[in-house]
Amino acid sequence: MSMKSLVMIDRCFRTLRLHNLFMAMNKRKLKTQTEAKANKSKRCLAPDEGFKDEDSLEDHPFSTSSLGDIGVIESITLKNFMCHQNLGPFQFGPNVNFIVGNNGSGKSAILTALIVGLGGKATMTNRGVSLKGFVKNGEGHADVTVKLRNRGMDAYKGDVYGDCIIVEQRITSDGCRLCKIKNKSGQIISNKKEELMSILDHFNIQVDNPVSILNQEMSKQFLHSKSEADKYKFFMKATLLEQMRRDYIHIKQTEEVTRDQVERQEECLKDLRQDYMLKKERYESLASLDEMTKTLEGLQRKMAWCLVREKECQIEQLKEQIEKEVDGKFEEKLLLCQSKVTQAMNKVNDIQKKLEKVREEDRSLAGEYQRLKEELKAKSKEQKGQEVVYFRAENKLKQLEKEQCLLSERIHKIRHNESQNKEVERVKRLKKMGALKKLLEKHETQAAELNQELKDKQQALFKGREEFDKLSMEEKNIKVALEAKLKRKNQLLASRSNRLRIFGERMPELIESINKAHAQGRFTHKPLGPIGACISVKDPGLTVAVESCLRGFMKTFCCDNYRDEKVLEELMAPHFQRSSRPQIIVCRFTEKVYNVQGRGVNHPDFPSVLDTITCTSPVITNCLIDMRGIECILIIKDTAVARRVMMHNRPPRNCREAFTAEGDQVYTNRSYAPDKNVLIKYLGGDPEAEIRLVESEVENHRAQLSRFQLHLNSVKQDIQAMEDKMNSVIITCKKNQASVNQVKASISELENIEESQVEDISTLEEDAQEIQQKIDLERQNVEKTKTELDKQQEGLTDVDQKFQNVRNKIEQLTDDTDQLKEEQVKGEAECSKLDQTLKILEKKARTHEENIQSIRNELTAKEEEIQEFIEKAKKICPERQSADRSTKSLDTEITRLRQKITAQEQSHGDKEKVIRDYAEAHENYRSKSNQLRDLKKFIDCLDNIMTDRQARYKTLRRSLSVRCKLYFNNFLIKLQCCGSMKFDHNNETLSISVKPPGQENDTVSDMRSLSGGERSFSTVCFILSLWEITESPFRCLDEFDVYMDMHNRRISLDLLLELSERQHLRQFVFITPQTTCNLPKSDHIKIHQLEDPERGGIQEEEASHRR
């Protein structure tokens, strides 16, 4: 068991390491593309800058500077291969290579030789099923030599192989393959396939990946493939996601097998433990005899020292008494009292020092206090003198202002007398203006009311229109639902006479057409379908669950090949529109159902969908297994039980999902429930019951539609009435605004009438101006004196503040002095008290010391006595033994052990055999238990790792699909086409829809509507998209332009050359039978023109291709 588990574990680790490398490669792809673009833009500026950028990437293990130095094909040589005796050597350029030649010249032979030369199987080439078919007729063997570049920091064993690796493959006429791997100088390094695989893995070369090498046959199959599942498989294989998924499944299966083996080994471990416990019991009983012997000897030694211990106990009691007496309490009390006396004296001294310091500070502040007091008096005197100056200037200013006031009154009186003649006219104007202003206010109030009314009506009209739009939309939805129900009703009524009409109104006619076409021999095998008519459910109670699971396949037909599919599509065209045609699945017709025993779910309580249904043909069963995986889907009637089985507990093995009797779909991490009760539509439901239900729903929809139409008409009338009222309010607002404008014009005209000028009073005004100048000068003087007064006031305030601070400090020092004096008196009293206590303690200490000395004398006598007992005990046992028991107890125990030892010595056998058996059983049990424990830890760790890996796998798959779609759309723009690429990872399908120029608005977007060249161009776009998201040192494309016209071929070549320029560190090999004269001249492009073959050679190649 352990050997198999170790092998499985090793495989799991190798797979995980490969996947780590793959994910790192994809991350490296993104970084490399970004850096390559940066390099390209920098090369356009200056060559030196580009070299600097490449040097900056040298620290990365897979930097762009090494991408073109490893894995690139330098040359290939063919000898006796297919129909060619000698072909090559072809020296390939590091970037773009075109191999051009007519049919039979050896273009495809070069590509086939490349696959075979790098270890590929014959089936990968699509040119044969065995390697012996590649040997030229009449020759004994064929040779293929491929040189791969091996330079830079990432070179594979650069010190062994040098700058290039030469791979030589010799194929014998009986199909055997001999491989030689040489270094640059031609020396053979290895002839093992494992070394070749290591080289290809290091260079990231996948010969079986169609993205790296796409031959003509595979390109043709993809070009004519109509299955979305085939396209999805192509994408998964090209991005290595398919290989990753298979490896994950293999790891999971390995984990399950290992768990089963662990469970079986746990049962075996129980038997080992039982055997181990039996032998342990015998061993322990044997060990107990030795133990008793040793115990007896120990008791005898203890007995020897027992008397010594009794004497020691007496000595210990005396020592404990001395320790109690000499516990230092008196010394501690004495030292504590002395420290308190010292502290009290220090405290008194500190208080005395503080008191002296306070007195000294008080003396220093007395002089400062007297000085500030004299300065305060002087500042106060100066401030009062400045106040006198300020008040004089202020009185003078008031006198000048009074004179100015009298002069102003005189000027005003003169002006008043001259204007009395026009007072009458001014009064009239004022009265008229007052009347106009009242009228204006009235009009403005009316305008505000009208604007508010207009705003309210507009808001009401908006709400009415919004309600009308909402009701119209609901009416439209009800009409659509009513039409759908009527269509379903007619379909059900028609199914009374023919059950096939459940699958479509024209389904019986289509079946009749298929029968006629089959009778005429147009089909290789008669198509089967619809699938819903070919299956039945064993348990009627599970019909809803089965139909919910297979609903998307009920109308589907099965064909044996693509030719039959094309004929069936022609038959469907008159009966079904292109958008509603039944699906067609192409699968090989067989007479036996697939064996799903190893990969199907097998639950003791619940059946799978495969177990629940009965099909009329094995083809239908195999189709549902391939497309829906019915062998991995459980049917569980109760929803709660289904969720518990799938989500709460560990899901059954190989089970992906489950369906319930109510139509719920349950996965391991989520579940979906239908919006309403699911009715049986296809698999044997009651048509009459469904007809009655549909009729009831039709009546409900009609009544609901009638109510909505009445409500809609009412709302429409209300909207019309609101629009009429709003128009009336708008007209009234315009009239009122015209009246407001007219009144404002009249008021403005009255205000602009000029009064007559008064007589000249310039003389009085000059006097007033002169007095005003004096007033200004006096004001400046007042402000100046005011500033000086404020300045002196501030100085007085500062001195007063300092004086107050000094006085407060002196008062504070006086309080501190009084407090320190009180503390000094208290400290001196405490010192006197502690001194008396110290004298009493010293007297008690002397008495205590005398008592201790008497006990020590007694201890000395006891110690001399115990020495005699120790010498006697050493004669019995040199080493001292612990004696924690009494003499009587030890004597009783010694007698009992002697009797027991005598009895057991008579019952036991060979001692060495018992010990050997126990050691073997113990080692076997311990090693097995350790292996199982380590294996369980590894399985748990592997399970956690796989959970994380699968999450990363989904993220990587989503990222690659998104990037592929973006690149595909960009390439289609070159053809002025629009299209889309839709990935369905759940159903594993990839649908590609392309709309040719001028048909952008058509609903049909199938690739079959394109011409052959446009379809080839779309295929090239898809391949280029895959090239953008995958890595390989070289890429080969065979006859990509065979179905293209010149326009599409030119665009395709431009795209390929643009990609090769962007990925100038990759090697590209394009094979084409057409001319390359239109290619631009560039050092990066190398063209290999093959010579035209002889006629016999062409026939021989065609025969070889047929083989």
Side-chain angles (χ1 to χ4, degrees):
M1 183 281 298
S2 59
M3 194 63 192
K4 289 184 178 179
S5 301
L6 291 174
V7 172
M8 294 177 181
I9 291 168
D10 184 65
R11 289 179 180 175
C12 294
F13 273 123
R14 281 188 293 172
T15 303
L16 291 176
R17 285 198 297 269
L18 288 175
H19 295 171
N20 282 333
L21 178 61
F22 177 75
M23 290 186 175
M25 284 161 44
N26 278 279
K27 292 180 181 178
R28 199 163 64 247
K29 172 69 175 178
L30 293 174
K31 183 174 181 180
T32 302
Q33 288 180 347
T34 305
E35 293 172 346
K37 290 180 180 179
N39 291 340
K40 180 180 176 181
S41 62
K42 291 182 179 181
R43 281 197 305 272
C44 294
L45 296 175
D48 296 337
E49 295 181 2
F51 294 132
K52 292 180 182 178
D53 190 60
E54 291 180 358
D55 294 340
S56 66
L57 297 176
E58 288 180 356
D59 294 335
H60 196 284
F62 291 94
S63 61
T64 56
S65 61
S66 64
L67 288 177
D69 293 336
I70 59 172
V72 174
I73 304 170
E74 291 189 348
S75 68
I76 183 170
T77 305
L78 286 68
K79 182 178 180 181
N80 298 329
F81 189 80
M82 297 179 69
C83 61
H84 305 282
Q85 183 174 4
N86 285 301
L87 200 59
F90 295 98
Q91 302 294 333
F92 288 104
N95 190 211
V96 181
N97 296 271
F98 281 90
I99 300 177
V100 185
N102 295 325
N103 292 334
S105 59
K107 302 187 303 299
S108 298
I110 295 173
L111 194 61
T112 303
L114 177 62
I115 296 174
V116 175
L118 294 180
K121 298 180 181 179
T123 54
M124 296 180 186
T125 64
N126 290 325
R127 308 280 290 190
V129 295
S130 177
L131 291 175
K132 64 183 180 181
F134 296 129
V135 180
K136 186 178 180 182
N137 291 335
E139 300 293 338
H141 60 84
D143 294 327
V144 177
T145 303
V146 181
K147 287 186 180 181
L148 299 177
R149 183 175 295 178
N150 187 44
R151 303 176 185 171
M153 296 177 61
D154 293 334
Y156 181 80
K157 298 180 182 179
D159 54 340
V160 178
Y161 287 99
D163 292 343
C164 72
I165 298 176
I166 303 173
V167 181
E168 291 185 359
Q169 296 278 2
R170 170 163 289 187
I171 304 170
T172 61
S173 58
D174 56 355
C176 295
R177 183 204 301 258
L178 300 176
C179 177
K180 295 180 182 179
I181 305 175
K182 301 180 180 179
N183 60 10
K184 181 181 179 181
S185 59
Q187 181 182 357
I188 298 176
I189 304 299
S190 175
N191 55 6
K192 296 181 180 180
K193 183 179 180 181
E194 290 76 9
E195 179 70 8
L196 178 59
M197 292 299 103
S198 299
I199 294 171
L200 297 181
D201 289 340
H202 184 80
F203 292 163
N204 193 25
I205 298 174
Q206 305 105 29
V207 294
D208 60 339
N209 193 336
V211 171
S212 296
I213 303 175
L214 185 64
N215 55 43
Q216 181 179 357
E217 188 65 25
M218 186 172 293
S219 175
K220 187 183 302 181
Q221 290 178 3
F222 178 78
L223 188 64
H224 296 285
S225 174
K226 301 178 178 63
S227 174
E228 297 177 351
D230 291 343
K231 293 184 178 67
Y232 186 82
K233 290 178 181 178
F234 186 86
F235 167 77
M236 295 290 286
K237 182 177 180 182
T239 57
L240 296 183
L241 291 173
E242 181 65 27
Q243 179 65 32
M244 188 181 296
R245 181 174 63 177
R246 289 198 300 267
D247 290 342
Y248 283 162
I249 293 172
H250 172 70
I251 292 174
K252 279 293 184 182
Q253 292 173 350
T254 303
E255 179 186 351
E256 293 297 330
V257 171
T258 308
R259 285 187 187 275
D260 294 341
Q261 292 179 352
V262 168
E263 291 174 358
R264 290 195 297 271
Q265 289 302 316
E266 284 179 345
E267 296 296 329
C268 298
L269 189 63
K270 292 179 181 179
D271 297 337
L272 290 175
R273 177 176 173 78
Q274 186 176 2
D275 181 58
Y276 162 68
M277 295 304 294
L278 291 174
K279 293 182 178 179
K280 181 180 179 182
E281 185 177 354
R282 292 187 61 191
Y283 173 77
E284 287 178 350
S285 64
L286 182 63
S288 64
L289 182 60
D290 296 337
E291 238 177 72
M292 285 189 291
T293 304
K294 292 179 181 179
T295 303
L296 179 60
E297 295 175 356
L299 290 174
Q300 291 173 347
R301 289 191 294 269
K302 286 182 180 180
M303 182 63 115
W305 289 91
C306 187
L307 294 173
V308 177
R309 181 58 184 168
E310 288 180 355
K311 293 296 181 180
E312 286 178 347
C313 288
Q314 295 176 3
I315 294 175
E316 287 177 358
Q317 289 177 359
L318 289 174
K319 289 182 178 180
E320 288 176 358
Q321 187 176 357
I322 293 173
E323 288 177 357
K324 288 181 180 179
E325 295 294 334
V326 191
D327 56 357
K329 289 183 179 179
F330 282 101
E331 287 80 5
E332 289 179 1
K333 289 181 179 179
L334 186 61
L335 292 174
L336 181 61
C337 187
Q338 288 176 353
S339 65
K340 288 183 178 179
V341 171
T342 305
Q343 289 177 1
M345 293 298 294
N346 292 334
K347 185 177 181 182
V348 171
N349 293 333
D350 292 338
I351 292 172
Q352 184 67 29
K353 291 179 181 178
K354 289 181 181 178
L355 189 59
E356 290 294 330
K357 186 177 180 181
V358 170
R359 287 173 181 172
E360 181 67 27
E361 190 174 357
D362 183 69
R363 286 192 295 269
S364 65
L365 288 175
E368 182 71 16
Y369 175 81
Q370 191 64 30
R371 183 183 65 79
L372 289 174
K373 187 176 181 181
E374 294 296 330
E375 186 177 357
L376 183 63
K377 289 181 180 180
K379 289 287 184 182
S380 178
K381 186 176 180 180
E382 290 177 0
Q383 192 262 346
K384 289 180 180 178
Q386 186 65 29
E387 281 183 351
V388 173
V389 176
Y390 171 74
F391 289 142
R392 287 176 182 174
E394 191 175 19
N395 290 334
K396 187 176 180 181
L397 176 63
K398 289 180 180 179
Q399 186 177 359
L400 290 172
E401 287 177 349
K402 186 176 181 181
E403 292 177 2
Q404 177 72 11
C405 183
L406 293 174
L407 188 60
S408 298
E409 289 179 358
R410 183 179 176 186
I411 294 171
H412 179 70
K413 186 176 180 180
I414 293 173
R415 288 176 176 174
H416 180 71
N417 291 332
E418 291 180 354
S419 62
Q420 286 180 352
N421 296 329
K422 297 183 180 179
E423 185 67 23
V424 177
E425 295 179 2
R426 189 177 67 81
V427 170
K428 288 181 180 180
R429 287 198 306 273
L430 291 176
K431 287 182 180 180
K432 189 172 180 180
M433 288 174 63
L436 290 174
K437 287 180 178 180
K438 290 181 180 180
L439 181 60
L440 177 62
E441 183 178 356
K442 178 180 178 181
H443 285 308
E444 287 178 347
T445 303
Q446 186 177 2
E449 293 175 353
L450 290 172
N451 288 331
Q452 183 62 36
E453 183 180 0
L454 179 61
K455 184 177 180 182
D456 295 340
K457 291 187 179 300
Q458 287 176 344
Q459 187 174 3
L461 180 60
F462 176 76
K463 290 182 178 179
R465 288 175 177 171
E466 188 177 18
E467 183 180 4
F468 181 79
D469 294 339
K470 184 178 180 181
L471 291 173
S472 300
M473 183 60 67
E474 292 181 357
E475 180 192 17
K476 183 178 180 181
N477 293 336
I478 293 173
K479 287 182 178 179
V480 172
L482 180 60
E483 291 176 358
K485 293 298 179 182
L486 289 173
K487 183 177 180 181
R488 180 60 182 167
K489 178 183 175 182
N490 295 332
Q491 189 177 1
L492 290 171
L493 292 174
S495 68
R496 288 176 175 174
S497 59
N498 193 334
R499 183 173 174 272
L500 287 175
R501 295 197 184 276
I502 296 177
F503 303 95
E505 295 181 1
R506 301 287 298 173
M507 189 60 71
E509 289 77 5
L510 175 61
I511 297 298
E512 185 178 356
S513 301
I514 291 173
N515 293 332
K516 290 182 179 179
H518 179 63
Q520 295 172 0
R522 298 179 63 185
F523 290 111
T524 305
H525 293 279
K526 180 183 175 182
L528 300 179
I531 290 178
C534 300
I535 62 176
S536 60
V537 183
K538 298 177 182 178
D539 185 359
L542 303 179
T543 305
V544 173
V546 173
E547 188 165 322
S548 298
C549 176
L550 304 178
R551 186 173 296 276
F553 296 92
M554 288 295 161
K555 299 181 181 179
T556 303
F557 283 80
C558 296
C559 288
D560 177 69
N561 52 65
Y562 291 108
R563 177 177 170 277
D564 291 350
E565 178 195 16
K566 188 174 181 181
V567 175
L568 183 57
E569 287 178 350
E570 295 176 356
L571 297 178
M572 285 183 179
H575 303 289
F576 295 95
Q577 296 180 358
R578 183 180 294 272
S579 59
S580 61
R581 288 180 185 176
Q583 183 183 1
I584 302 174
I585 297 175
V586 178
C587 59
R588 184 66 61 185
F589 283 14
T590 58
E591 299 297 330
K592 295 182 180 180
V593 179
Y594 294 155
N595 183 9
V596 296
Q597 185 175 1
R599 57 191 176 97
V601 62
N602 185 12
H603 199 279
D605 299 327
F606 310 112
S608 65
V609 177
L610 179 61
D611 300 331
T612 306
I613 65 174
T614 302
C615 300
T616 59
S617 172
V619 175
I620 300 297
T621 306
N622 293 338
C623 177
L624 293 177
I625 289 173
D626 290 336
M627 303 304 296
R628 189 65 180 93
I630 58 175
E631 79 282 6
C632 298
I633 303 174
L634 284 179
I635 302 294
I636 304 174
K637 289 186 177 181
D638 187 74
T639 303
V641 175
R643 291 181 179 175
R644 184 176 68 253
V645 171
M646 295 297 294
M647 301 174 70
H648 298 165
N649 300 328
R650 182 179 175 185
R653 183 179 178 185
N654 296 331
C655 182
R656 294 189 293 105
E657 56 185 304
F659 283 86
T660 67
E662 298 176 356
D664 293 2
Q665 187 175 11
V666 183
Y667 291 93
T668 57
N669 57 354
R670 62 191 185 280
S671 62
Y672 301 99
D675 297 335
K676 56 184 179 179
N677 293 333
V678 180
L679 296 177
I680 301 173
K681 186 175 180 181
Y682 299 107
L683 300 179
D686 186 4
E688 297 299 329
E690 188 174 358
I691 289 172
R692 289 193 296 271
L693 179 61
V694 172
E695 287 177 348
S696 174
E697 292 178 351
V698 168
E699 293 300 327
N700 291 336
H701 283 310
R702 283 176 175 171
Q704 192 175 3
L705 181 62
S706 178
R707 290 195 301 272
F708 267 101
Q709 288 176 346
L710 291 174
H711 192 185
L712 198 63
N713 292 331
S714 175
V715 172
K716 188 175 182 180
Q717 293 175 1
D718 293 342
I719 291 173
Q720 186 63 38
M722 285 189 288
E723 288 178 347
D724 296 339
K725 291 180 181 180
M726 189 177 69
N727 291 332
S728 176
V729 172
I730 291 172
I731 294 172
T732 306
C733 284
K734 290 181 179 180
K735 291 181 179 179
N736 184 72
Q737 186 63 36
S739 300
V740 169
N741 294 336
Q742 185 176 1
V743 171
K744 285 183 178 179
S746 301
I747 293 173
S748 177
E749 183 178 357
L750 291 174
E751 289 177 347
N752 292 331
I753 297 177
E754 298 181 356
E755 297 182 355
S756 60
Q757 297 180 354
V758 296
E759 66 176 347
D760 188 12
I761 54 173
S762 59
T763 304
L764 295 176
E765 289 178 349
E766 289 177 358
D767 295 338
Q769 186 175 4
E770 185 177 351
I771 293 173
Q772 183 64 37
Q773 292 177 356
K774 293 179 180 180
I775 290 172
D776 294 336
L777 293 174
E778 196 61 34
R779 280 178 179 171
Q780 293 178 0
N781 188 25
V782 170
E783 290 177 357
K784 185 177 180 181
T785 55
K786 175 66 174 173
T787 303
E788 185 66 23
L789 179 63
D790 293 338
K791 184 176 180 181
Q792 292 183 1
Q793 183 66 33
E794 290 177 359
L796 179 62
T797 302
D798 293 338
V799 174
D800 184 69
Q801 182 66 33
K802 292 178 181 178
F803 177 76
Q804 294 295 331
N805 292 337
V806 172
R807 187 169 64 180
N808 292 335
K809 287 183 180 180
I810 292 173
E811 292 175 355
Q812 180 66 31
L813 290 173
T814 303
D815 296 336
D816 294 339
T817 303
D818 295 338
Q819 184 177 0
L820 289 172
K821 287 180 179 180
E822 292 177 0
E823 292 178 358
Q824 186 180 14
V825 172
K826 291 180 181 179
E828 290 174 352
E830 186 178 0
C831 285
S832 178
K833 183 178 178 181
L834 290 172
D835 188 56
Q836 293 178 1
T837 304
L838 180 62
K839 290 178 181 180
I840 295 170
L841 288 174
E842 287 175 350
K843 184 178 180 181
K844 288 183 178 180
R846 286 193 295 270
T847 305
H848 182 68
E849 187 66 28
E850 292 174 356
N851 294 334
I852 292 173
Q853 186 61 38
S854 63
I855 296 173
R856 284 176 177 170
N857 294 334
E858 184 180 359
L859 176 62
T860 303
K862 292 288 184 182
E863 288 177 347
E864 292 176 356
E865 185 179 356
I866 199 175
Q867 289 298 326
E868 297 177 1
F869 286 92
I870 292 174
E871 290 177 359
K872 293 178 181 180
K874 284 183 178 180
K875 292 179 181 179
I876 299 172
C877 179
E879 295 182 1
R880 185 180 180 89
Q881 301 292 321
S882 61
D884 52 352
R885 299 168 62 180
S886 63
T887 306
K888 184 178 179 180
S889 174
L890 288 171
D891 185 57
T892 304
E893 183 70 19
I894 288 170
T895 303
R896 186 183 63 82
L897 282 174
R898 283 175 178 170
Q899 295 174 355
K900 192 172 181 179
I901 288 170
T902 303
Q904 286 198 8
E905 282 178 349
Q906 297 174 357
S907 63
H908 282 293
D910 186 9
K911 180 179 177 180
E912 293 182 358
K913 185 176 184 302
V914 173
I915 295 173
R916 187 169 59 253
D917 292 344
Y918 167 72
E920 291 177 357
H922 177 264
E923 179 62 25
N924 193 14
Y925 172 71
R926 186 180 62 82
S927 62
K928 290 294 183 182
S929 61
N930 289 339
Q931 286 180 5
L932 284 178
R933 185 183 66 251
D934 295 341
L935 202 54
K936 285 181 179 178
K937 289 182 180 178
F938 169 76
I939 292 173
D940 295 337
C941 179
L942 181 62
D943 192 41
N944 295 331
I945 291 174
M946 286 307 301
T947 302
D948 178 66
R949 291 287 176 161
Q950 288 176 346
R952 294 187 182 186
Y953 167 79
K954 293 179 180 179
T955 303
L956 177 63
R957 183 179 63 183
R958 183 171 61 254
S959 173
L960 291 177
S961 59
V962 170
R963 291 174 56 202
C964 185
K965 288 192 287 186
L966 291 176
Y967 286 120
F968 182 75
N969 291 334
N970 289 335
F971 288 133
L972 282 183
I973 293 174
K974 302 292 184 178
L975 191 58
Q976 298 180 352
C977 294
C978 62
S980 64
M981 180 183 293
K982 296 181 180 179
F983 288 88
D984 187 350
H985 297 297
N986 293 329
N987 295 324
E988 297 184 353
T989 59
L990 168 58
S991 60
I992 300 177
S993 60
V994 180
K995 296 180 180 179
Q999 300 181 16
E1000 290 80 0
N1001 299 323
D1002 292 352
T1003 57
V1004 180
S1005 59
D1006 198 333
M1007 286 183 63
R1008 290 172 290 183
S1009 62
L1010 301 175
S1011 64
E1014 291 171 339
R1015 196 181 306 172
S1016 298
F1017 178 79
S1018 302
T1019 304
V1020 170
C1021 292
F1022 181 54
I1023 297 299
L1024 291 179
S1025 303
L1026 293 177
W1027 282 2
E1028 291 283 4
I1029 64 175
T1030 56
E1031 281 196 354
S1032 179
F1034 61 83
R1035 311 181 192 278
C1036 302
L1037 195 59
D1038 186 9
E1039 297 194 7
F1040 62 93
D1041 54 353
V1042 67
Y1043 296 111
M1044 294 185 186
D1045 54 15
M1046 293 304 296
H1047 175 71
N1048 289 329
R1049 183 172 184 270
R1050 186 177 63 255
I1051 295 177
S1052 298
L1053 286 174
D1054 291 342
L1055 287 177
L1056 293 172
L1057 293 178
E1058 180 184 351
L1059 177 65
S1060 65
E1061 183 179 359
R1062 188 165 62 252
Q1063 298 183 5
H1064 63 282
L1065 298 178
R1066 296 281 185 270
Q1067 186 181 46
F1068 298 86
V1069 179
F1070 303 121
I1071 298 176
T1072 177
Q1074 302 187 27
T1075 180
T1076 56
C1077 59
N1078 295 326
L1079 290 176
K1081 294 183 179 180
S1082 174
D1083 295 336
H1084 298 287
I1085 301 175
K1086 189 170 184 179
I1087 301 175
H1088 304 271
Q1089 182 69 46
L1090 302 183
E1091 297 180 358
D1092 292 340
E1094 298 179 359
R1095 188 59 185 172
I1098 296 177
Q1099 293 174 355
E1100 184 178 352
E1101 182 179 7
E1102 291 177 352
S1104 176
H1105 178 67
R1106 285 195 296 272
R1107 289 201 301 273

